[in-house]
Amino acid sequence: MFKSLIRATAAFGTAALLSTSALAAGDLVITFDDLNPDKKAAFEAAVEAFKKANPDINVTANNGDREAHKNTIRNALQNDAPDVITWYPGNRMGPFVDAGLFADISDLWASDENLKGNFNAIKPTMSRDGKQWGVPYSYYQWGVYYRKDIYDKLSLKEPATWDELLANCDKMKEAGVTPFTIGTKFLWTAAGVFDYLNLRTNGYEVHNDLTAGKIKYSDPKIKATFANWKEMIERCSFVKNHATMSWQDAIAPFAKGDAAMYVMGNFSVGQYKDAGLKDEQIDFFPFPKIADVPRAEEAPADAFFIPAKAKNIENAKKFLSFIATAEIQGTWNKAIGQLPPNAAAEINKDDKFIVEGMETVSTAAGLAQFYDRDAPAAMAKAGMEGFQKFMLDTSTLDEVLANLDRVQAEVYK
Amino acid sequence: MTTTSAIVSDRYSTSTSQVLISIAVLLACLIVLFFVVDTAVVQDWLGYARREEARVPTFFLRIVVLIGAIAAAFFAITGTSSYRRNRVSYAPWLFLAVGLAFFMVYVIIPIFQSFSYSFTRWDGLYDVNGIWTGEWVGFRNYGLLLNDPNFYTSLWNNLLWLVLFMLAVPIGLGIALFLNQTVTGIRIYKSLFFFPFVISQVVVGLIFAWAYNPEFGLLSEIWGWFYCETKVNIVGNLTKVCSVDPPSILGNEHLATYGIIAAGLWPQIAYCMILYLTGLNNVSPDQVEAGRLDGAKGWNMLWHVILPQLRPATFIAIVVTVIGALRSFDMIATMTQGGPFGSTNVLAYYMYDQAVGEGVGRYGYGSAIATVLFLIMLVYISYFLWRMYQDEKGAH
């Protein structure tokens, strides 16, 4: 009687009671965080392929907004964990790894055919405390996107060195073109420029030491980076009003032809085309060389992790090893226009940005994740505010660096 | 005689069976609530294949059992003789109990929780065993606050908001006086003036952010008439070239806060105006008449006859404006997110930014900011409560 009453209430509450289904060999709950149509479709296709390969596993795939995910993941990991969840490698996974909320999957990295041999470039960023914590499904290159038609009109060449870049900038300014566009309203775009200047001025080690809190912001090496940035701001110059623009807003002057270059990630290419630019009007070059240091690149990855509270860890591992295969990595990244972390995967040879991007990152001496993923979030926030302040008024440099030293001393404790 | 006293004693004595049954039901409900109904059990009972599907029915079951428990407690209390004897003094508390419980759980306890978090260093996470990952650091967060330039910027901006937001009161009064006349269609004008208060703060923020935008905003268009001309750029597109650049209000650290306050004033003026309009309806015509006979006109009339009668409206207008200034959060969130480089932060936004926003996760530090904001508000709220208390006393 009591049971039937409960049944009735529950049926009333849920409006529809789902029919009892036979228990499958196991469940797998996946939480994904990208609702952009192409990203969503690629993820769903991969899940379908997994279902086909493992018909006995009952897969539930949830998808949500990326920004909201950054907050909801805390609750998801602590209370109601799915079996597989997306998150960022590098220092961004640090707090969750340190709190023991991600499962250690070093055994999978040691035994899986694909993970063992084809992920060497990305393995360090997936590691913390000498163990591996996730499997990347995609990454993309950063670099300079430029208006090829403007370059041709001014008969400029892709710059390979700092001096060539500055010389190009001079010519553009003479012709009334602002060399660089950027939108720093949401801060992170400025970090892209800083990272490249720092990687080219000081190299990969210094980038890692800085984001790991081992060297100060007032260190002479970092000051040299800022000196180059100052030169870039003065001789190249960025669009005015960048502090009120998002990265998408900053595409407008680029598309219009008022600005000629954009330090950006490869995800922006689709937006240039949406803004009316044709494939032959835009092109890509790696950020030019400054000092004599091995060339490292920014190549942020997106990855899947297994929460420590996951209920179906074996199925989750099956899924991770499935998405690590060259086949899945190839089709997935072809669909979303990004690069597969699996070195054996096929890339889209018809997309010149992907071809050039693969060339750029596969020959790089090191891959940085991005300032706000390599540095802890509290440091990154203060750091990027400092970069914006410096970009708006380069004379505030000493004040900015002193403040960043202060925040650094608090955050890395 | 005997029958009456029997009835009286019966009315006030404990109805044992009612109390016992209700306590039994209450205990049963509590046991079910805490030990029986969880997702796994519901999944099992109702034959769901997966736990996720059983979550919603679990929630509804728990709510039903909770309501049962509250009802049982209610019956148990009303069955006792002590309740029956003091019905008049007990009944209000009984009805308030549920509300008070929620107020405790969602307002009072969190206040003390954030006090305690402010003495810790914590990134907001519990580890896999549910153990809190923070550490106790005493007054360290407050020490850090004293050295944090962003904190002083936020404090200064809070002060700017408090002072400049007060402009809404006199401007609202001015508009109310202006609109307080009988002309055909005055209701339409009144509702038009009231309109900004009706639309959401987020929408107001967006509209102003667009108006301020130096690339395509209303201000830059007007600026363009004087200082800019249209030229053809290198690839043949039309582009605007200015001899003097339009001000980037939200991109300039010295102007941005004023820009946001101006946007915030727009709906606030409407709010004060409507308060004064209702106040003006209650102004006694006799006194105005008497004032006229004594030769009061213009400012004298306003200052000595009208304004004293508007005192209650002024008090409420100041109260809502101060509260509006102190909780100025949505405007900042929509217009600048505290930028450029933190120069438009106020304490409320800075707290959100440090604790919850974008995974920065400095919960201890954010709680310290919240505590400071709470103490500032406490000063004002105590004054407000004291004023109310004095008014109540005066009324008797």
Side-chain angles (χ1 to χ4, degrees):
Chain A
M1 164 64 189
F2 183 54
K3 209 162 147 178
S4 69
L5 187 74
I6 291 176
R7 242 176 231 275
T9 327
F12 176 73
T14 48
L17 201 68
L18 292 160
S19 63
T20 319
S21 64
L23 275 178
D27 292 336
L28 178 66
V29 182
I30 307 168
T31 299
F32 192 63
D33 67 337
D34 210 327
L35 292 171
N36 286 318
D38 53 336
K39 308 272 171 69
K40 185 168 172 258
F43 165 68
E44 280 162 4
V47 171
E48 281 311 311
F50 180 73
K51 277 184 187 166
K52 209 171 263 176
N54 300 277
D56 55 331
I57 297 180
N58 189 359
V59 185
T60 314
N62 303 313
N63 196 349
D65 173 66
R66 208 177 180 92
E67 295 307 312
H69 182 72
K70 289 179 185 169
N71 279 326
T72 52
I73 187 173
R74 296 171 156 263
N75 193 29
L77 293 182
Q78 296 176 83
N79 300 321
D80 224 346
D83 300 314
V84 175
I85 195 163
T86 43
W87 192 240
Y88 311 103
N91 251 324
R92 264 295 169 98
M93 70 181 183
F96 298 138
V97 169
D98 295 344
L101 292 168
F102 280 147
D104 173 12
I105 55 162
S106 308
D107 55 334
L108 190 68
W109 277 81
S111 62
D112 187 84
E113 279 311 309
N114 288 293
L115 291 172
K116 236 190 316 191
N118 294 332
F119 285 77
N120 294 334
I122 204 100
K123 193 172 177 179
T125 55
M126 301 307 309
S127 308
R128 191 174 174 92
D129 307 333
K131 296 169 187 156
Q132 286 75 48
W133 302 92
V135 172
Y137 63 89
S138 178
Y139 70 143
Y140 52 87
Q141 83 272 18
W142 271 66
V144 183
Y145 292 81
Y146 71 97
R147 286 289 298 263
K148 196 162 172 37
D149 47 352
I150 297 179
Y151 259 64
D152 288 346
K153 222 168 228 163
L154 298 170
S155 33
L156 300 172
K157 277 196 316 212
E158 286 186 7
T161 65
W162 188 236
D163 291 331
E164 285 174 28
L165 176 71
L166 295 176
N168 281 356
C169 286
D170 292 342
K171 290 214 178 103
M172 284 178 224
K173 282 174 107 172
E174 271 168 38
V177 178
T178 310
F180 282 97
T181 187
I182 193 168
T184 62
K185 183 176 180 187
F186 295 98
L187 304 174
W188 55 270
T189 47
V193 179
F194 170 79
D195 270 351
Y196 265 117
L197 287 164
N198 196 29
L199 287 170
R200 294 291 181 268
T201 311
N202 297 312
Y204 188 53
E205 291 306 315
V206 172
H207 168 87
N208 285 336
D209 287 350
L210 181 74
T211 50
K214 286 181 194 153
I215 55 175
K216 287 185 156 193
Y217 283 80
S218 54
D219 191 280
K221 288 183 188 141
I222 307 301
K223 279 194 170 158
T225 302
F226 276 99
N228 285 331
W229 200 350
K230 189 170 180 216
E231 193 174 21
M232 183 178 179
I233 290 168
E234 279 160 8
R235 264 180 82 182
C236 280
S237 80
F238 290 86
V239 287
K240 293 165 199 152
N241 306 322
H242 58 76
T244 56
M245 294 196 285
S246 68
W247 76 267
Q248 290 102 330
D249 293 339
I251 291 176
F254 185 70
K256 222 182 187 185
D258 292 340
M261 293 180 279
Y262 201 178
V263 179
M264 248 301 134
N266 196 55
F267 56 84
S268 59
V269 171
Q271 302 260 351
Y272 304 146
K273 291 178 180 166
D274 290 345
L277 292 172
K278 292 191 193 67
D279 209 32
E280 63 269 18
Q281 284 179 293
I282 34 180
D283 209 345
F284 169 87
F285 62 82
F287 199 90
K289 179 182 174 127
I290 298 179
D292 197 20
V293 290
R295 181 176 58 81
E297 296 290 335
E298 296 255 64
D302 292 314
F304 282 108
F305 295 82
I306 303 178
K309 285 197 167 178
K311 291 170 198 88
N312 308 291
I313 294 208
E314 281 318 305
N315 288 344
K317 283 185 177 166
K318 250 185 218 168
F319 182 74
L320 292 195
S321 102
F322 182 75
I323 58 148
T325 57
E327 196 192 340
I328 291 295
Q329 295 243 326
T331 43
W332 190 324
N333 286 292
K334 266 182 205 170
I336 63 176
Q338 296 191 358
L339 302 171
N342 185 330
E346 231 178 78
I347 58 164
N348 184 359
K349 292 261 169 29
D350 298 332
D351 186 334
K352 64 176 175 185
F353 297 103
I354 290 295
V355 174
E356 206 165 341
M358 197 65 189
E359 163 78 27
T360 309
V361 293
S362 59
T363 55
L367 297 181
Q369 279 302 295
F370 199 72
Y371 181 77
D372 75 348
R373 294 194 193 174
D374 283 332
M379 184 69 237
K381 172 86 189 182
M384 296 190 302
E385 280 184 358
F387 301 156
Q388 192 192 36
K389 186 170 185 173
F390 171 75
M391 283 185 78
L392 288 170
D393 181 359
T394 50
S395 69
T396 57
L397 178 62
D398 290 331
E399 191 189 321
V400 166
L401 295 181
N403 187 43
L404 292 185
D405 279 348
R406 184 187 60 80
V407 176
Q408 193 187 39
E410 289 163 27
V411 170
Y412 301 86
K413 237 203 90 181
Chain B
M1 279 305 270
T2 39
T3 42
T4 346
S5 74
I7 288 169
V8 167
S9 74
D10 188 42
R11 261 182 74 196
Y12 292 129
S13 70
T14 304
S15 139
T16 324
S17 59
Q18 186 188 338
V19 173
L20 284 182
I21 293 174
S22 340
I23 288 182
V25 173
L26 174 64
L27 285 178
C29 284
L30 290 179
I31 290 170
V32 169
L33 191 62
F34 290 115
F35 300 106
V36 182
V37 194
D38 69 17
T39 319
V41 170
V42 174
Q43 181 192 9
D44 199 33
W45 275 355
L46 303 179
Y48 285 108
R50 282 202 306 272
R51 284 195 178 186
E52 283 70 34
E53 291 168 3
R55 255 189 240 156
V56 177
T58 311
F59 175 75
F60 277 101
L61 272 179
R62 282 189 170 152
I63 289 284
V64 168
V65 178
L66 181 69
I67 291 173
I70 291 172
F74 181 81
F75 278 111
I77 292 168
T78 53
T80 60
S81 71
S82 118
Y83 174 79
R84 292 181 171 190
R85 267 177 235 287
N86 306 296
R87 200 183 293 259
V88 176
S89 53
Y90 279 17
W93 290 106
L94 202 56
F95 284 105
L96 278 174
V98 176
L100 280 180
F102 277 90
F103 191 67
M104 282 299 284
V105 170
Y106 290 108
V107 178
I108 306 294
I109 295 174
I111 289 177
F112 287 97
Q113 270 183 319
S114 39
F115 283 167
S116 67
Y117 287 152
S118 75
F119 299 111
T120 65
R121 182 190 161 85
W122 183 40
D123 60 2
L125 291 176
Y126 293 89
D127 76 2
V128 70
N129 301 317
I131 294 166
W132 182 69
T133 58
E135 57 168 326
W136 185 265
V137 293
F139 280 91
R140 188 159 179 274
N141 285 325
Y142 294 95
L144 293 176
L145 267 186
L146 292 180
N147 289 320
D148 184 350
N150 272 345
F151 172 68
Y152 291 107
T153 312
S154 312
L155 208 57
W156 170 247
N157 285 340
N158 257 118
L159 195 70
L160 273 182
W161 270 89
L162 264 178
V163 173
L164 293 178
F165 222 47
M166 279 301 150
L167 287 175
V169 178
I171 298 176
L173 174 65
I175 296 175
L177 289 171
F178 174 67
L179 288 178
N180 190 39
Q181 42 188 313
T182 34
V183 188
T184 336
I186 190 71
R187 280 172 186 233
I188 295 177
Y189 301 125
K190 282 182 186 173
S191 26
L192 283 179
F193 273 94
F194 186 56
F195 182 67
F197 185 67
V198 179
I199 46 182
S200 142
Q201 296 245 317
V202 176
V203 176
V204 174
L206 273 180
I207 293 173
F208 271 79
W210 286 334
Y212 289 151
N213 190 299
E215 299 290 327
F216 57 76
L218 187 67
L219 281 187
S220 81
E221 285 299 317
I222 297 171
W223 188 274
W225 298 342
F226 302 102
Y227 296 108
C228 305
E229 52 184 330
T230 307
K231 280 186 181 162
V232 177
N233 74 3
I234 185 163
V235 289
N237 289 327
L238 292 179
T239 187
K240 210 164 64 176
V241 179
C242 300
S243 55
V244 185
D245 288 317
S248 169
I249 293 177
L250 296 180
N252 179 321
E253 74 269 29
H254 304 297
L255 296 177
T257 294
Y258 297 100
I260 303 173
I261 295 176
L265 272 176
W266 192 44
Q268 192 65 29
I269 287 171
Y271 193 12
C272 291
M273 179 204 77
I274 211 81
L275 289 172
Y276 276 120
L277 274 178
T278 47
L280 284 169
N281 277 338
N282 293 328
V283 166
S284 132
D286 307 355
Q287 291 190 24
V288 176
E289 196 61 26
R292 274 226 180 95
L293 286 177
D294 287 341
K297 269 195 290 191
W299 284 111
N300 273 332
M301 177 70 106
L302 178 66
W303 191 253
H304 295 290
V305 182
I306 309 285
L307 275 187
Q309 296 191 58
L310 287 178
R311 265 193 63 190
T314 309
F315 180 62
I316 297 293
I318 291 177
V319 167
V320 295
T321 307
V322 169
I323 291 175
L326 284 176
R327 45 164 236 190
S328 48
F329 178 90
D330 5 19
M331 288 278 177
I332 296 165
T334 35
M335 292 175 80
T336 60
Q337 287 84 36
F341 52 85
S343 60
T344 56
N345 274 331
V346 292
L347 289 178
Y349 194 81
Y350 192 43
M351 166 197 78
Y352 165 82
D353 188 73
Q354 289 294 303
V356 198
E358 280 188 53
V360 172
R362 294 171 80 185
Y363 279 75
Y365 197 58
S367 300
I369 301 169
T371 306
V372 172
L373 180 60
F374 177 77
L375 293 178
I376 293 173
M377 282 186 139
L378 198 62
V379 172
Y380 172 71
I381 292 169
S382 331
Y383 168 73
F384 170 63
L385 289 177
W386 178 77
R387 240 329 263 281
M388 295 267 276
Y389 178 68
Q390 296 292 322
D391 282 2
E392 294 267 298
K393 256 196 344 196
H396 283 299

